Amino acid sequence: MIVGRSLSWRIILRYTGIPVTVHVLFAFAIIVGYRVYDASWMAVPALPVTVLAAALGVLLAFRNNSAYDRWWEARTLWGGVVNWSRSFARQVLTLLPRPGSTQDEQPLSELELAAVPSPLLRSAVDRPAALTAVSGARASDGAVRDRFGQARMPTDAKVSLENIAVLDSPPEEQRGVITKMVESITEDSRELIYAQMGFVHALRCHLRRQDPLPEIVRFFRPSVIEALREEQNVPSAIILWMATRLRRIYGQVSDPQKVVFLHVTMDRTLSEMTNLLGACERIKNTPLPRQYDILLFVMTRAYLVLLPLGVVEELGWLTPIVTAIIAFLFIGLDAVGRDIETPFEDDVSDTPMTALSRTIEINLRQMLGETELPQPVQPQKGLLY
């Protein structure tokens, strides 16, 4: 996504350079033939050119509005991914049972594990080994960008701890609820939140037609990664894995009403993420009708061919200059509309899914109390990917 205050000439020339140059050279040839070789037959009435320009402007406005609607919907959907990821982490940390609240569920026997239909679901109900450990907690507002759009860098953990040590630390039994919550995070909760991070990165790679496994290997146990290798739709498989893992956790709750409450609450969150996945796939797999692209491309080029013929009699040697300005406008509008109608192609005008995925990962790691956070994705030459 273009986030710089000014547009790079490299990007402008990429879209308009060659076609505008061709039409300017054609206009120059027209004026040379008309004035130097006295080819008066090259001049045509200006009225048809004017009418064609009006019709072409309406078509370009319609197509560009439709393309922008797709671009904005894509950004809105990823805003939903950010919000529901945070909500899922909050629900996991605050609603799921904690150690000591109920009797720990016994691990499934080998016979019971063998009855689970797929390796992916077996990895969700099997008792896991420890995934990671909390190294400390750090207070934060959860935002990774300031009001000017600049990414915030995480402060050094050592400095933060030293600053905290200067203050009068409360006794052990007087520590705040947040600190106690971080220290009592279960391995099930931690693994679910890591799975949500993996889902977000897998969704980004899935929409860009990239292999998601190298991006999500750090969020799952090896057995889960091996099971995900067989899946065609990795983000959807991760949601299924999380739902199966949650069903296993529900077995630790003895109160039937609480089980129903947890099931309804968590299932709504997973359903929302499934809806966001499906909506993104709809935009990705259903482009605007190709008729619009073909019609606008042909009519734009036809208009720019007729333009110097319609104005050469009145403008004379100014014809190439006027042609350059009008050609830049129409070709630029056509190129911009074609570019933003595909917001998941990892291009300059696309939704910045890499930056959003990193933002979600930072927020969720902070909820887990981690201090070793990845760096926010910074714009490069005015472009944020």
Side-chain angles (χ1 to χ4, degrees):
M1 184 174 68
I2 302 173
V3 296
R5 293 182 178 273
S6 60
L7 194 60
S8 170
W9 279 103
R10 179 178 57 85
I11 298 176
I12 295 175
L13 294 177
R14 167 185 167 183
Y15 288 116
T16 62
I18 295 178
V20 169
T21 302
V22 170
H23 286 288
V24 169
L25 292 177
F26 176 75
F28 185 77
I30 293 296
I31 186 58
V32 169
Y34 182 80
R35 284 293 178 89
V36 176
Y37 296 99
D38 198 23
S40 58
W41 54 269
M42 289 184 174
V44 300
L47 180 60
V49 179
T50 304
V51 173
L52 181 58
L56 188 59
V58 173
L59 290 176
L60 281 172
F62 172 77
R63 202 280 298 275
N64 283 17
N65 285 338
S66 300
Y68 179 80
D69 287 342
R70 289 167 56 88
W71 184 88
W72 182 246
E73 183 184 3
R75 182 58 186 88
T76 302
L77 291 172
W78 266 87
V81 173
V82 174
N83 294 339
W84 283 105
S85 296
R86 293 167 177 166
S87 297
F88 178 78
R90 172 179 53 80
Q91 292 167 350
V92 167
L93 292 175
T94 59
L95 298 181
L96 295 186
R98 279 198 249 285
S101 59
T102 59
Q103 184 178 2
D104 289 340
E105 182 190 18
Q106 296 298 321
L108 299 180
S109 65
E110 294 184 4
L111 183 61
E112 291 171 324
L113 280 175
V116 180
S118 72
L120 177 67
L121 299 188
R122 281 198 295 273
S123 69
V125 298
D126 191 14
R127 177 72 67 180
L131 188 65
T132 185
V134 179
S135 58
R138 181 166 65 88
S140 171
D141 62 354
V144 297
R145 295 190 180 275
D146 59 22
R147 60 192 181 93
F148 300 107
Q150 297 297 321
R152 294 178 177 176
M153 298 300 179
T155 58
D156 184 69
K158 181 178 180 181
V159 175
S160 299
L161 292 177
E162 289 176 354
N163 292 337
I164 294 174
V166 173
L167 303 177
D168 293 331
S169 301
E172 183 72 19
E173 62 273 13
Q174 296 181 8
R175 286 179 299 173
V177 176
I178 298 298
T179 303
K180 292 181 179 180
M181 183 185 73
V182 169
E183 291 183 349
S184 64
I185 293 175
T186 65
E187 197 60 37
D188 285 332
S189 298
R190 188 181 310 282
E191 195 167 15
L192 281 168
I193 294 177
Y194 267 69
Q196 179 62 30
M197 300 180 204
F199 165 78
V200 173
H201 287 281
L203 175 59
R204 165 174 57 86
C205 296
H206 176 69
L207 295 174
R208 290 176 174 173
R209 310 292 191 195
Q210 299 170 347
D211 182 12
L213 294 182
E215 293 290 327
I216 66 174
V217 68
R218 64 187 187 274
F219 301 114
F220 295 97
R221 290 176 280 118
S223 60
V224 184
I225 294 296
E226 289 302 318
L228 289 173
R229 293 185 189 278
E230 307 298 325
E231 300 293 332
Q232 296 293 326
N233 191 320
V234 175
S236 179
I238 292 175
I239 292 178
L240 175 61
W241 186 92
M242 291 191 294
T244 308
R245 188 52 174 260
L246 285 168
R247 186 179 64 179
R248 172 186 175 278
I249 297 174
Y250 298 155
Q252 303 175 19
V253 182
S254 58
D255 186 354
Q257 293 184 347
K258 187 174 182 180
V259 172
V260 173
F261 169 76
L262 289 174
H263 179 80
V264 172
T265 302
M266 303 305 294
D267 184 72
R268 178 173 179 267
T269 302
L270 294 180
S271 297
E272 288 292 341
M273 288 190 288
T274 302
N275 293 337
L276 293 170
L277 167 62
C280 290
E281 289 178 330
R282 168 175 52 81
I283 295 177
K284 174 70 177 183
N285 300 324
T286 310
L288 285 176
R290 293 300 94 188
Q291 297 91 322
Y292 290 123
D293 274 342
I294 296 174
L295 178 63
L296 281 173
F297 180 84
V298 172
M299 295 306 298
T300 300
R301 298 313 189 268
Y303 165 73
L304 293 176
V305 168
L306 292 176
L307 176 63
L309 301 177
V311 300
V312 64
E313 185 176 2
E314 296 181 359
L315 297 180
W317 291 102
L318 293 177
T319 298
I321 298 177
V322 174
T323 300
I325 296 173
I326 298 178
F328 174 78
L329 174 63
F330 279 88
I331 292 175
L333 286 174
D334 183 44
V336 168
R338 187 176 293 107
D339 191 44
I340 65 174
E341 74 179 37
T342 53
F344 298 135
E345 299 299 327
D346 197 17
D347 206 348
V348 296
S349 299
D350 294 346
T351 303
M353 294 186 291
T354 302
L356 293 172
S357 300
R358 184 70 60 81
T359 297
I360 295 172
E361 181 180 347
I362 292 172
N363 292 165
L364 268 56
R365 286 183 182 275
Q366 285 182 314
M367 290 184 181
L368 290 173
E370 298 183 12
T371 55
E372 296 182 1
L373 304 176
Q375 299 292 330
V377 177
Q378 298 285 355
Q380 300 294 330
K381 298 181 179 180
L383 304 177
L384 186 64
Y385 289 94

